């Protein structure tokens, strides 16, 4: 049975999916491309999350696309980011390639004709949809879109008010004049507290342990002057590189002198909190900076909300819910009319798509990531995974450009397939090097990485810019070949296959 065929099928129409299409067409304009998006809108994360105050946790100079300057605030709100992604998709014609409401369930590789057969299902009718492609690009991120993580909460059934998770924020929730407790201490909780405190009677952030919070100016006077002098397009790369290098410097300092970085962050928090505030209890984590991502507070909005008395932080563990609030281990009861469980995400590799290669199911946990973007033993497939210590788009854009170079190489040399090989040594490392709870919970189902390049993922954009942007695509880590139906010979780097 014949099915519609495209050269490249991109799964996901968020930040990285839009980037992938633009970069592929930039280098190979005659490629046939389709995009399947499970939801009914462009934007991915930025369309999904609708909780109050939702914003970027990376500066927009680097979260934005390098080919389309961002000229707004350094830390942008969710609706502004969504508009930016939508406008980019329209400007580059990506929106015309997207098929909304198509959730991909399974992809099967056949080496005989070097094609993926991709099985999806339409959200509106439930009907199956089947396409084939020569290359599969998964821009699906690594967490579940349909549900967030909520731990077991003792006595939750006794609480009489609404309990909401930020990932499924109800549009009709009214918190004005009410007492709100936000459970959690990550970026979402840090964002929610000042936003809710604008109209709530009081907001309490209940955390089991503290998180590092870095205050960051939302405006950049120097950057605005540079834009006025050079023009937005010429100033953009300079400002972008300034941001990249500052972020890298912060990360390297945290790794090489964690005690110094801890001291600097503590000092910054203490300077913005009321005199006598217990900084060490509420804003001095037990772990080192960048073991988990730093949380950003635009213009110190979190600290200002606490200083105003409209918000507070309680560092303790939940003993039990009551009808009117939460009792913690110390015996204190925190009154609440609304509870928000900002307790994290669930990891989900490849958007939950099951892979089959020549009749055998792929166990993602047994696969090894090649250059942080392909999987050992899985031909003609790439995945976009961003950095953990910098903006998501930085790495995803490098991946998109690399895949374009890879496909160009295959075309020029008559290859139909490219298959990453496992590393020669047996040692494996986690693919995501964060100690965050959502990472620890889901790592067992994720691919791993090796201990040396090209199987080791580097958390360094300048280094990856050289390795992925200029490095060989035909190195020791991959095997190129032809479809079995037309195979005369295969090519492997360093040996014949």
């Amino acid at each position: 049975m014949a099915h519609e065929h495209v050269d490249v099928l991109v799964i996901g129409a968020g930040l990285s999916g839009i980037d992938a299409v633009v970069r592929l067409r930039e280098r190979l304009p005659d490629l046939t491309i389709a995009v399947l998006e499970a939801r009914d809108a462009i934007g991915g994360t930025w369309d999904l999350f609708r909780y109050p105050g939702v914003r970027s946790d990376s500066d927009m100079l680097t979260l934005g696309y390098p080919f389309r300057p961002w000229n707004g605030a350094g830390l942008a709100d969710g609706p502004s980011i969504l508009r930016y992604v939508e406008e980019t998709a329209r400007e580059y014609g990506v929106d015309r390639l997207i098929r909304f409401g198509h959730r991909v369930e399974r992809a099967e590789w056949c080496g005989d004709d070097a094609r993926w057969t991709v099985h999806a299902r339409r959200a509106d009718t439930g009907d199956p949809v089947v396409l084939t492609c020569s290359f599969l690009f998964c821009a699906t991120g690594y967490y579940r879109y349909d549900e967030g993580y909520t731990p077991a909460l003792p006595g939750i059934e006794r609480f009489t008010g609404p309990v909401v998770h930020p990932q499924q924020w109800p549009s009709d929730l009214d918190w004005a004049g009410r007492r709100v407790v936000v459970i959690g201490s990550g970026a979402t909780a840090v964002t929610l507290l000042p936003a809710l405190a604008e109209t709530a009677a009081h907001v309490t952030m209940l955390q089991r342990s503290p998180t590092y919070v870095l205050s960051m100016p939302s405006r950049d006077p120097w950057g605005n002057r540079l834009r006025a002098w050079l023009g937005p397009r010429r100033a953009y790369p300079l400002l972008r590189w300034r941001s990249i290098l500052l972020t890298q410097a912060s990360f390297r300092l945290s790794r090489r002198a964690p005690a110094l970085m801890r001291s600097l962050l503590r000092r910054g928090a203490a300077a913005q909190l009321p005199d006598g505030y217990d900084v060490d209890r509420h804003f001095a984590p037990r772990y080192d900076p960048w073991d988990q991502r730093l949380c950003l507070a635009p213009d110190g909005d979190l600290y200002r909300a606490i200083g105003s008395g409209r918000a507070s932080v309680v560092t303790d563990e939940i003993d039990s819910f009551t009808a009117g609030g939460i009792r913690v281990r110390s015996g204190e009861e925190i009154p609440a009319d609304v509870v928000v469980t900002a307790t994290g995400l669930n990891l989900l590799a490849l958007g939950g798509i099951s892979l089959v290669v020549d009749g055998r199911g792929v166990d993602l946990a047994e696969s090894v990531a090649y250059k942080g973007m392909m999987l050992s033993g899985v031909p003609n497939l790439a995945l976009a995974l961003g950095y953990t210590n910098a903006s998501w788009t930085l790495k995803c854009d490098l991946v998109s450009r690399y895949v374009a170079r890879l496909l160009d190489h295959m075309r020029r040399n008559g290859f139909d397939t490219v298959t990453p090989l496992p590393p020669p040594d047996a040692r494996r490392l986690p693919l995501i090097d964060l100690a965050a709870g959502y990472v620890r919970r889901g790592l067992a189902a994720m691919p791993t990485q090796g201990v040396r390049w090209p199987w080791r993922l580097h958390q360094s954009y300048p280094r990856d810019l050289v390795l992925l942007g200029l490095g060989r695509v035909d190195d020791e880590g991959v095997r190129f070949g032809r479809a079995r139906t037309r195979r005369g010979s295969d090519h492997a780097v360093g040996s014949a296959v």
Side-chain angles (χ1 to χ4, degrees), residues 49 142-144 147-150 165 167 188 342-347 437-439 441:
F49 288 110
Y142 55 57
Y143 66 84
R144 287 189 64 160
E147 65 175 21
Y149 172 73
T150 302
H165 191 285
Q167 195 165 323
T188 302
T343 46
L345 310 167
N346 286 314
L347 286 188
Y438 74 94
V439 174
R441 288 191 302 271

Side-chain angles (χ1 to χ4, degrees), residues 36-112:
L36 299 186
E37 167 56 50
R39 307 179 73 248
D40 60 1
I42 288 172
T45 295
W46 301 107
D47 177 70
L48 173 69
F49 288 110
R50 306 290 181 91
Y51 58 83
V54 59
R55 63 185 182 226
S56 62
D57 64 351
S58 301
D59 71 276
M60 287 303 299
L61 287 167
T62 54
L63 189 65
Y65 298 117
F67 50 82
R68 188 170 186 269
W70 170 270
N71 295 313
L75 293 179
D77 61 81
S80 297
I81 300 171
L82 179 58
R83 281 195 302 274
Y84 171 76
V85 178
E86 292 171 336
E87 289 167 0
T88 304
R90 284 196 297 271
E91 182 177 328
Y92 287 85
V94 181
D95 57 335
R96 296 192 294 272
L97 305 177
I98 303 171
R99 304 176 193 188
F100 295 106
H102 283 64
R103 180 175 297 280
V104 177
E105 299 174 336
R106 188 172 77 259
E108 300 171 344
W109 170 262
C110 176
D112 289 338

Side-chain angles (χ1 to χ4, degrees), residues 369-372 429 433 449-458:
Y370 164 79
K371 296 183 178 177
L429 299 171
D433 64 342
Q449 62 176 327
V451 295
R452 67 178 180 88
W453 182 259
W455 296 278
R456 178 69 187 272
L457 175 66
H458 296 289

Side-chain angles (χ1 to χ4, degrees), residues 303-375:
Y303 299 125
R304 285 189 285 107
I306 294 170
S308 72
R310 294 179 287 112
S312 58
V313 177
V314 172
T315 304
D316 207 331
E317 295 187 24
I318 296 174
D319 178 69
S320 180
F321 276 72
T322 65
I326 301 173
R327 186 172 58 249
V328 294
R329 291 287 171 88
S330 64
E332 176 188 0
E333 181 170 342
I334 306 169
D337 304 303
V338 178
V339 170
V340 180
T341 55
T343 46
L345 310 167
N346 286 314
L347 286 188
L348 184 65
L350 299 182
I353 300 166
S354 62
L355 301 178
V356 178
V357 173
D358 288 326
R360 297 185 61 181
V362 175
D363 183 352
L364 294 178
E366 295 297 319
S367 65
V368 183
Y370 164 79
K371 296 183 178 177
M373 52 165 281
M374 300 178 77
L375 301 176

Side-chain angles (χ1 to χ4, degrees), residues 4 91 116 120 161 180 199 210 215 277 285 288 291 299 331 347 357 367 399 412 415 421 423 433:
E4 179 186 358
E91 182 177 328
W116 285 101
V180 182
T199 56
S215 180
Y277 191 87
D288 287 334
D291 284 352
D299 301 317
L347 286 188
V357 173
S367 65
V399 169
R412 287 186 287 104
F415 295 123
L421 305 172
D433 64 342

